[in-house]
Amino acid sequence: MTTTFARPRFGFLAAAAIWLLTFAVAAPAQPVAADAACTPTVTKSPFGRMPDGTAVDLYTLTNSHGLEVKVMTYGATVTSVKTPDRNGRLANITLYLDTFDDYLRGHPLFGSVVGRYANRIGGAKISIDGVEYPLSPNAGQNHIHGGREGFQKKVWDAQPSPRDGAAGVEMTLLSPDGDEGYPGTLQVKLRYELSDENELKIEYTASTDKPTVVNLTNHAYWNLSGAGSGVILGHLLTLYAGDYLATDDQKVPTGEIRSVQDTVMDFTEPHAMGARIEQVEGQNYDHCYVLNKRPGESLVLAARVADPASGRAMDVWTTKPGVQFFTARFLNERWQAGGRPYVPYHGFCLETQHFPDAPNKPHFPSPVLRPGQTYHHITVHKFSVRPL
């Protein structure tokens, strides 16, 4: 059974103002005509069941221009983001799997929300107020993405949450005290919202009853030509970051913040993702960039990506201090969708987040959340097309 939720639209935007995103180095984005008969909608449908019988649902968000986002309650996972190319053809631009059973068998976090702490924590331990907490080691001797049973393996509660001019779904999760070693009972609320401005907004909030650390992100793999269509090495990337975090051989930050200037890490001007990748260790970008945030700034532009082949473009905005850029060289045909296997460089990640290992690096921005405080993080993906 499929249930659809919609809210009447007010003050419908003129087609000429729809596509807001442009690139400083390119012609303006092309507008997409609106369909006055359409309103943003939220549709709920069954997607699968956990081994214990727990139902997993799929929520489909659609805006009035035909953009579509699908999110399942297992891992609060984005399974589809459909946007048009310069010829109006829709394609899913995030890597996905065909069935729920495929996801259940294991995957490299395609579109999932990871936590309590995204990225790496060295030595699988943290210290808060002089008290040390051992975490589950799941990356050698280190801890990554919340542990063996992180938020990506939980079934979230969900309900439709439409707003004027936007389709949305709100998800909640309770993480008990001691979950994967983290102190405190953490209450998490997550909202996905697809607006008529062609923006996918992800908003995270959390509260705790004991001091703890929190760092939530979505681990989507993007391919603006379409999932399974080929490698992303020709995508043009701009990162609004003048520094990045140096790491050891386990990809745990050493604490040193390095300038990108005159290095293969420099994306302060648009570069093809693959232009210098052979000079990168392991021929793979997997680095946290330090965003150019001024004191008092909240939501800032972190990245711009353009695909010359399809004309699709994406801006990423965030309230967090860092973004992990990852080119997924490890992908292989173990994972596939639509009969097309994924291979190295078939997707890229831009994971907005606190710095990895920040709980153990006092000079990094603090990820500690205390009782009475609210964790709040917003990431916005703005989609558009570029003409030839």
Side-chain angles (χ1 to χ4, degrees):
M1 179 178 179
T2 298
T3 307
T4 301
F5 310 86
R7 173 163 290 193
R9 297 178 56 251
F10 300 94
F12 192 77
L13 296 174
I18 301 301
W19 293 92
L20 301 180
L21 173 60
T22 61
F23 277 70
V25 296
Q30 293 178 326
V32 173
D35 184 345
C38 296
T39 62
T41 59
V42 186
T43 300
K44 173 186 174 182
S45 57
F47 193 56
R49 288 191 176 274
M50 298 291 290
D52 66 0
T54 301
V56 174
D57 294 321
L58 186 71
Y59 285 81
T60 301
L61 315 180
T62 307
N63 76 2
S64 59
H65 315 299
L67 272 70
E68 177 190 273
V69 174
K70 293 186 177 183
V71 186
M72 70 168 163
T73 52
Y74 178 63
T77 300
V78 174
T79 65
S80 178
V81 178
K82 288 185 178 178
T83 68
D85 65 10
R86 64 167 59 92
N87 296 311
R89 292 186 293 259
L90 289 171
N92 185 356
I93 61 171
T94 189
L95 271 56
Y96 69 101
L97 300 174
D98 288 320
T99 69
F100 175 65
D101 287 343
D102 291 334
Y103 283 98
L104 204 56
R105 279 190 285 269
H107 62 101
L109 306 174
F110 288 146
S112 296
V113 168
V114 293
R116 282 188 198 188
Y117 203 93
N119 217 318
R120 296 160 178 85
I121 294 180
K125 60 184 178 181
I126 60 174
S127 180
I128 304 175
D129 299 333
V131 179
E132 186 172 288
Y133 299 92
L135 308 178
S136 56
N138 62 326
Q141 298 181 342
N142 304 311
H143 176 91
I144 190 170
H145 293 325
R148 298 184 182 93
E149 298 292 328
F151 291 179
Q152 61 272 21
K153 293 188 177 181
K154 310 294 187 184
V155 178
W156 296 55
D157 293 325
Q159 60 181 5
S161 182
R163 292 178 180 170
D164 293 345
V169 59
E170 187 172 284
M171 297 186 168
T172 57
L173 182 70
L174 181 68
S175 175
D177 186 17
D179 191 6
E180 296 290 323
Y182 290 97
T185 299
L186 191 74
Q187 303 217 23
V188 183
K189 183 167 70 173
L190 167 67
R191 177 179 171 80
Y192 287 104
E193 180 177 289
L194 178 63
S195 76
D196 264 347
E197 286 73 38
N198 300 321
E199 297 177 354
L200 172 60
K201 178 181 179 181
I202 311 174
E203 184 170 10
Y204 313 78
T205 57
S207 60
T208 182
D209 61 359
K210 293 180 183 178
T212 191
V213 296
V214 186
N215 182 28
L216 306 177
T217 195
N218 184 284
H219 204 291
Y221 294 70
W222 302 97
N223 186 324
L224 300 188
S225 284
S229 64
V231 301
I232 47 77
L233 299 180
H235 284 34
L236 299 176
L237 172 66
T238 306
L239 290 174
Y240 294 88
D243 301 294
Y244 72 101
L245 302 183
T247 61
D248 62 20
D249 59 0
Q250 301 298 309
K251 292 295 182 180
V252 176
T254 63
E256 180 188 0
I257 298 176
R258 292 180 181 170
S259 172
V260 303
Q261 188 174 1
D262 299 324
T263 75
V264 297
M265 308 302 294
D266 191 350
F267 286 91
T268 54
E269 298 292 335
H271 284 284
M273 293 181 181
R276 301 162 296 175
I277 202 166
E278 291 184 355
Q279 302 173 53
V280 179
E281 183 180 358
Q283 298 181 22
N284 190 45
Y285 287 100
D286 190 6
H287 301 80
C288 185
Y289 282 77
V290 179
L291 297 176
N292 300 332
K293 292 186 70 172
R294 294 187 293 270
E297 279 190 308
S298 180
L299 190 68
V300 298
L301 181 59
R304 280 180 164 170
V305 186
D307 173 30
S310 68
R312 293 186 182 92
M314 179 177 75
D315 270 14
V316 181
W317 296 73
T318 185
T319 56
K320 284 301 172 189
V323 60
Q324 186 86 7
F325 172 46
F326 180 48
T327 47
R329 189 184 179 210
F330 75 98
L331 287 175
N332 60 61
E333 58 187 23
R334 172 185 173 188
W335 302 289
Q336 57 181 281
R340 295 178 294 185
Y342 298 131
V343 300
Y345 308 123
H346 258 212
F348 68 92
C349 301
L350 290 169
E351 306 156 54
T352 57
Q353 57 188 252
H354 268 300
F355 297 162
D357 207 36
N360 299 314
K361 301 290 190 296
H363 60 294
F364 285 177
S366 175
V368 173
L369 179 70
R370 299 184 180 278
Q373 297 177 336
T374 299
Y375 173 92
H376 188 220
H377 170 197
I378 294 174
T379 294
V380 178
H381 296 81
K382 301 179 70 171
F383 304 105
S384 68
V385 290
R386 288 173 50 182
L388 286 170

